[in-house]
Amino acid sequence: MSDMPSCQFESRPRRIVIGSSGVQADFCATCAVRPTSVCNVIAQADMARLAEAAVETIIPPGRGFIEEGAPATDFFNITSGTAKLFKALPDGRRQITGFAAPGHFLGLAVSDSYAFGAEAVDTVRACRFSREKMAELLDDFPRLERRLLEEASNELVAAQNQMLLLGRKTARERVASFLLDQMRAGMPLDQNGQRGSLHLPMTRGDIADYLGLTIETVSRTLSWMRSQGMIDVGKGYAITIRAAGRLDTLAAGNS
Amino acid sequence: MSDMPSCQFESRPRRIVIGSSGVQADFCATCAVRPTSVCNVIAQADMARLAEAAVETIIPPGRGFIEEGAPATDFFNITSGTAKLFKALPDGRRQITGFAAPGHFLGLAVSDSYAFGAEAVDTVRACRFSREKMAELLDDFPRLERRLLEEASNELVAAQNQMLLLGRKTARERVASFLLDQMRAGMPLDQNGQRGSLHLPMTRGDIADYLGLTIETVSRTLSWMRSQGMIDVGKGYAITIRAAGRLDTLAAGNS
DNA sequence: GCAACGCATTGATTTACATCAATCCATCGG
DNA sequence: CCGATGGATTGATGTAAATCAATGCGTTGC
């Protein structure tokens, strides 16, 4: 994390409609790859300032970039790849609290230390801001603050769903919920238009730590779903949804 | 919920220092009972406007006031009592995602329907705002938006802790964590200065639904802690912490 | 080519917690 | 006063998922 090039407009900046106003502007494709990210609430004239504040960071698979409990110095906006966020107990038990996809914000801490750790699942690109810069930006761009509040609210809803899952759902219901969530999340990189075909970037261990299960239970549950004709488990990290309806029924607890 | 008097300054408004600036102002004690609530980020001159927008609501014990999935029409700020927030599965399984103490905000939904239900544990007083009024207030008072962002961040941290608890902690660790959290939360109403003496307003069933356990397991675990000399279980909802250190060790997973 | 490694799958066994069940006790309404 | 009710406790039993264990399999490095 030492040689980070400045975040600049890429050669072919994207022209994006801002909100519902119809106004269009060019955006730094690095930190505005999605309509959910930082930049698209800031007027074109201010983009240069933002680009100056952001530092592009590339994190290789498996590398941690936020350490739980460490001083919270930076604020991240994921632009590509998937990161896992987690908390751990002293004896090594670990709970993944979420997977951060492109557009997600990380490190919005009130306290001055990170409440969770973060590690790249596959190769992650992110825009990094120092907290000071971020504070300045927040002061100058109220819409940015609104965007963050909206994002935080959405994460809160997701967290509540996950609490229901962890506290009250069975293993089968958890895995079904997970597969459907991943499918709905727009499936990170499914180039062939294959409907229902998922590429899960994370290992069984990650899935287990996310669902509060063990690797073996996740594996067995996927095998059971395969035996039921609900999914196909391909080589590597590929999974094909064959019966989304039945998975839905399962996930909702109507089993 | 039909006869709600307008939220006005009470007869003896409180003089509170705003932030670190040293400025003092009188506050509506109804919606600013705590330095964490809505009103204390708004200048005194604007208090009348806020008081006009807010409607005081009194909710009796056991009464639900937010229904999961219903249109999100209102925004609440708890001013006294404790509410439970929960999500449920169709077959009745229920997960309490949090207890809302005085000062907490409720109903900050991006979607137009509530993502969770809410019910009064004991008698709850709350300031209620329509979402329209709330949107206006947010536009006019940027500091309020910042306050909400801060609050949402804190809730997110709490949610992550709860996910770790639900996904990876044992029953004993869960109960220990819960008791310590309740103790740290400033213990809602412990009039006698008795240190470590808790009045838990919620039933064993609520605790179980919060911790992802059953009533029986919660009860057995408390009995075990009593047998270990860690706590005293009094009549009604009273619990006395006798060995916070040992509970801490347990809660952290160092058992 | 073939160890060595990480990850996944599958089977056998154990266990923490749920479920089922009985009792107790405080509160409440008649 | 006393049956009814709802919450809490405690005991007996069941079970879903964890743990322990073995095998397979693709990738990496020599």
Side-chain angles (χ1 to χ4, degrees):
Chain A
M1 283 174 43
S2 52
D3 52 318
M4 302 170 202
S6 192
C7 167
Q8 303 296 343
F9 283 6
E10 66 177 356
S11 46
R12 280 173 294 115
R14 300 164 186 228
R15 187 156 285 265
I16 301 174
V17 176
I18 307 176
S20 53
S21 58
V23 176
Q24 296 192 347
D26 289 320
F27 285 98
C28 162
T30 303
C31 49
V33 288
R34 287 198 152 200
T36 55
S37 59
V38 169
C39 309
N40 64 345
V41 294
I42 294 181
Q44 185 170 14
D46 296 318
M47 286 299 302
R49 166 117 185 263
L50 191 73
E52 187 198 353
V55 175
E56 187 183 36
T57 307
I58 297 183
I59 305 133
R63 162 93 117 263
F65 61 102
I66 291 180
E67 192 194 351
E68 187 180 350
T73 55
D74 295 310
F75 181 87
F76 297 85
N77 182 26
I78 307 282
T79 55
S80 81
T82 304
K84 51 186 170 188
L85 317 182
F86 53 87
K87 291 182 69 78
L89 291 170
D91 65 2
R93 278 174 288 172
R94 153 186 294 224
Q95 178 65 37
I96 291 181
T97 57
F99 294 104
H104 276 80
F105 302 106
L106 280 181
L108 182 68
V110 173
S111 107
D112 39 306
S113 60
Y114 293 119
F116 54 85
E119 190 178 309
V121 173
D122 46 17
T123 298
V124 166
R125 295 171 74 210
C127 271
R128 192 167 58 87
F129 303 80
S130 77
R131 290 186 94 206
E132 301 149 13
K133 284 273 189 192
M134 197 62 206
E136 284 175 32
L137 289 172
L138 283 178
D139 284 336
D140 296 350
F141 306 117
R143 292 215 48 178
L144 182 52
E145 197 152 56
R146 178 155 300 189
R147 194 59 267 300
L148 287 181
L149 180 56
E150 193 182 306
E151 174 78 5
S153 297
N154 286 331
E155 280 185 47
L156 223 32
V157 169
Q160 287 163 350
N161 282 325
Q162 195 66 3
M163 284 190 254
L164 175 62
L165 181 148
L166 292 170
R168 290 303 182 208
K169 288 189 182 178
T170 66
R172 286 172 183 180
E173 291 163 356
R174 292 181 202 206
V175 174
S177 300
F178 172 72
L179 290 177
L180 290 169
D181 282 349
Q182 288 296 116
M183 203 178 78
R184 289 195 203 98
M187 52 199 75
L189 290 187
D190 179 29
Q191 42 270 69
N192 54 347
Q194 191 76 14
R195 215 180 75 83
S197 178
L198 278 176
H199 175 81
L200 302 176
M202 67 290 288
T203 67
R204 297 286 188 270
D206 288 338
I207 299 174
D209 279 349
Y210 181 56
L211 300 179
L213 300 170
T214 59
I215 293 177
E216 295 94 324
T217 299
V218 170
S219 183
R220 271 188 254 273
T221 305
L222 287 173
S223 297
W224 174 81
M225 287 174 172
R226 179 161 42 82
S227 79
Q228 300 293 305
M230 295 173 171
I231 61 171
D232 266 3
V233 181
K235 290 287 171 196
Y237 295 105
I239 286 186
T240 306
I241 310 291
R242 290 225 162 282
R246 272 196 287 160
L247 281 181
D248 236 343
T249 309
L250 235 189
N254 293 312
S255 51
Chain B
M1 286 178 37
S2 52
D3 53 318
M4 302 169 202
S6 192
C7 168
Q8 304 295 344
F9 284 5
E10 65 177 356
S11 46
R12 281 172 292 115
R14 299 164 188 226
R15 185 155 286 263
I16 301 175
V17 176
I18 307 176
S20 53
S21 59
V23 177
Q24 295 192 348
D26 289 319
F27 286 98
C28 161
T30 303
C31 49
V33 287
R34 286 200 153 198
T36 55
S37 59
V38 169
C39 309
N40 64 346
V41 293
I42 294 181
Q44 185 170 14
D46 296 318
M47 285 301 301
R49 166 118 185 264
L50 190 74
E52 188 199 351
V55 175
E56 188 181 37
T57 308
I58 296 182
I59 305 132
R63 162 93 117 262
F65 60 101
I66 291 181
E67 191 195 350
E68 185 180 350
T73 55
D74 294 310
F75 182 87
F76 297 85
N77 183 27
I78 307 282
T79 55
S80 81
T82 303
K84 51 185 170 189
L85 317 182
F86 55 86
K87 289 183 71 78
L89 291 171
D91 64 2
R93 280 174 287 171
R94 153 185 293 224
Q95 178 65 37
I96 292 182
T97 57
F99 294 103
H104 277 79
F105 302 108
L106 281 181
L108 182 68
V110 172
S111 105
D112 39 303
S113 60
Y114 293 118
F116 54 85
E119 189 178 310
V121 173
D122 46 17
T123 298
V124 166
R125 295 172 72 212
C127 271
R128 193 166 58 86
F129 303 81
S130 76
R131 290 187 92 206
E132 300 149 14
K133 284 271 189 195
M134 198 61 205
E136 283 175 31
L137 289 172
L138 283 179
D139 283 337
D140 297 349
F141 306 118
R143 292 215 48 178
L144 183 52
E145 196 151 56
R146 178 156 300 191
R147 195 58 268 299
L148 287 181
L149 180 56
E150 194 182 306
E151 175 78 4
S153 297
N154 285 332
E155 279 185 47
L156 224 30
V157 169
Q160 286 162 351
N161 282 325
Q162 196 66 3
M163 285 190 253
L164 176 63
L165 180 147
L166 292 169
R168 291 303 183 206
K169 288 189 182 179
T170 66
R172 285 172 184 180
E173 290 163 356
R174 292 180 200 205
V175 174
S177 300
F178 172 73
L179 291 177
L180 290 170
D181 282 349
Q182 288 296 117
M183 203 177 79
R184 289 194 203 100
M187 52 200 75
L189 292 186
D190 179 31
Q191 42 269 67
N192 54 349
Q194 191 77 13
R195 214 181 74 83
S197 179
L198 278 175
H199 174 81
L200 302 177
M202 67 292 288
T203 67
R204 297 286 187 268
D206 288 338
I207 298 173
D209 280 346
Y210 181 55
L211 299 179
L213 301 170
T214 58
I215 293 178
E216 294 94 324
T217 299
V218 169
S219 182
R220 271 186 254 273
T221 305
L222 288 173
S223 296
W224 174 80
M225 286 175 173
R226 178 161 42 81
S227 79
Q228 300 293 304
M230 294 173 171
I231 61 172
D232 265 3
V233 181
K235 290 287 172 198
Y237 296 104
I239 287 187
T240 306
I241 309 290
R242 291 227 162 281
R246 271 196 287 160
L247 281 181
D248 236 343
T249 309
L250 234 189
N254 292 311
S255 52

